[in-house]
């Protein structure tokens, strides 16, 4: 029997993922659900160390394939150490980014392709796909404004406009290819409106 519930959040930087994750977690906890919030890359000691390597702006020499393996290595450890144990205990795990970020950033942004990313994703997650993926969507300019404009950039943020155009294309493609689990949520309304939409989606899933 499938235990727990795995929810992932995706979307471009500045779309309000962290706020919506916090609000959803508070909502679920009110009905006595056990919730674990985590993030990728990261979520455990080794995962956070790999995150530092990936995001450190000094590591400019990292190749696309090395980058893919580092994201997948962090994920495999996170999965084994945090996500699977929590799901086995029947908890709800909410992730800030997961496999669809790899699909979009490495598959499309770094142009490694869908086939390659899909295979490594599948093994890193030990075939345990999210029950639902909420892809928050926003016009690119709005995302930039919400994020607070041009602050200090990490290694990924340094990638340039063409890269981020490909990432957006990758996110769109993922939402079509994995339409069975990915639901797009437009976040152009207020934070509260978005939160209500998300609660309805999750309540429907929990009632099934
Ligand atoms: P964050 O800024 O949302 O914490 O994510 C860290 C960065 O890593 C962000 O630029 C997206 C990127 N990323 C990938 O390129 N591939 C992945 O698989 C994941 C999870 C994140």
């Amino acid at each position: 029997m499938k235990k727990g519930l795995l929810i992932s959040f995706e979307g471009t930087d500045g779309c309000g993922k962290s706020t919506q994750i916090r609000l959803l977690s508070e909502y679920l906890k009110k009905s006595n659900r056990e919730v674990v919030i985590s993030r990728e890359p990261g979520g455990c000691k080794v995962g956070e160390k790999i995150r530092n390597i990936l995001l450190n702006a000094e590591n400019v020499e990292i190749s696309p394939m090395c980058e893919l393996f580092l994201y997948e290595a962090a994920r495999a450890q996170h999965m084994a150490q945090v996500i699977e144990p929590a799901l086995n205990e029947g908890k709800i795990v909410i992730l800030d980014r997961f496999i669809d970020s790899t699909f979009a950033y490495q598959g499309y942004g770094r142009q490694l392709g869908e086939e390659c990313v899909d295979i490594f994703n599948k093994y890193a997650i030990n075939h345990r796909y999210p029950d639902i993926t909420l892809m928050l969507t926003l016009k690119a300019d709005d995302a930039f404004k919400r994020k607070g404009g041009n602050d200090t950039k990490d290694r990924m943020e340094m990638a340039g406009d063409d890269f981020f155009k490909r990432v957006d294309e990758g996110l769109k493609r993922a939402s079509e290819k994995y339409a069975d689990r990915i639901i797009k949520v437009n976040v152009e309304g207020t934070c509260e409106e978005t939160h209500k939409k998300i609660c309805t989606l999750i309540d429907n899933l929990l009632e099934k």
Side-chain angles (χ1 to χ4, degrees):
M1 200 186 79
K2 203 171 180 182
K3 290 181 181 169
L5 191 74
L6 183 55
I7 305 171
S8 60
F9 275 74
E10 300 281 0
T12 41
D13 285 343
C15 68
K17 275 195 306 305
S18 325
T19 309
Q20 291 303 330
I21 288 172
R22 181 177 48 77
L23 292 173
L24 176 63
S25 157
E26 285 165 8
Y27 173 77
L28 292 168
K29 281 180 185 164
K30 272 190 216 144
S31 48
N32 292 325
R33 308 261 182 193
E34 283 194 274
V35 181
V36 173
I37 295 180
S38 201
R39 69 170 179 181
E40 292 215 340
C44 57
K45 191 180 78 189
V46 169
E48 290 293 329
K49 285 190 176 177
I50 298 174
R51 179 187 177 90
N52 286 337
I53 297 174
L54 279 164
L55 300 188
N56 187 331
E58 285 175 12
N59 294 333
V60 280
E61 70 273 35
I62 291 179
S63 75
M65 196 56 88
C66 173
E67 182 178 291
L68 171 67
F69 287 174
L70 287 172
Y71 277 108
E72 299 294 9
R75 174 163 304 139
Q77 185 60 31
H78 189 207
M79 200 70 203
Q81 195 181 341
V82 177
I83 302 173
E84 280 181 330
L87 292 174
N88 287 336
E89 288 169 13
K91 294 180 183 164
I92 298 179
V93 179
I94 308 180
L95 298 178
D96 187 339
R97 295 193 184 278
F98 199 42
I99 47 174
D100 304 299
S101 281
T102 325
F103 186 90
Y105 282 77
Q106 281 66 54
Y108 275 73
R110 300 293 189 211
Q111 297 178 300
L112 293 176
E114 293 183 15
E115 196 191 348
C116 168
V117 170
D118 280 345
I119 287 173
F120 288 109
N121 271 344
K122 178 170 80 179
Y123 287 105
I125 64 172
N126 197 14
H127 304 252
R128 177 60 167 97
Y129 288 87
D131 298 291
I132 187 169
T133 298
L134 299 166
M135 189 174 283
L136 308 191
T137 62
L138 188 65
K139 281 193 239 100
D141 291 354
D142 291 349
F144 185 74
K145 274 186 227 139
R146 285 199 193 192
K147 208 175 175 249
N150 203 358
D151 46 10
T152 320
K153 289 188 167 77
D154 64 36
R155 193 184 61 85
M156 295 304 292
E157 288 165 344
M158 284 160 46
D161 290 350
D162 288 348
F163 173 85
F164 284 103
K165 271 190 207 133
R166 290 196 296 273
V167 169
D168 284 343
E169 196 192 320
L171 288 171
K172 192 162 165 279
R173 168 74 181 135
S175 70
E176 291 158 3
K177 187 171 185 186
Y178 304 111
D180 53 329
R181 67 171 167 82
I182 299 184
I183 299 195
K184 280 190 181 179
V185 181
N186 184 302
V187 297
E188 276 156 39
T190 67
C191 181
E192 191 52 35
E193 281 163 359
T194 304
H195 174 56
K196 283 201 180 120
K197 277 193 242 173
I198 291 174
C199 290
T200 307
L201 289 166
I202 301 301
D203 281 342
N204 288 343
L205 196 64
L206 288 167
E207 276 162 23
K208 268 187 197 163

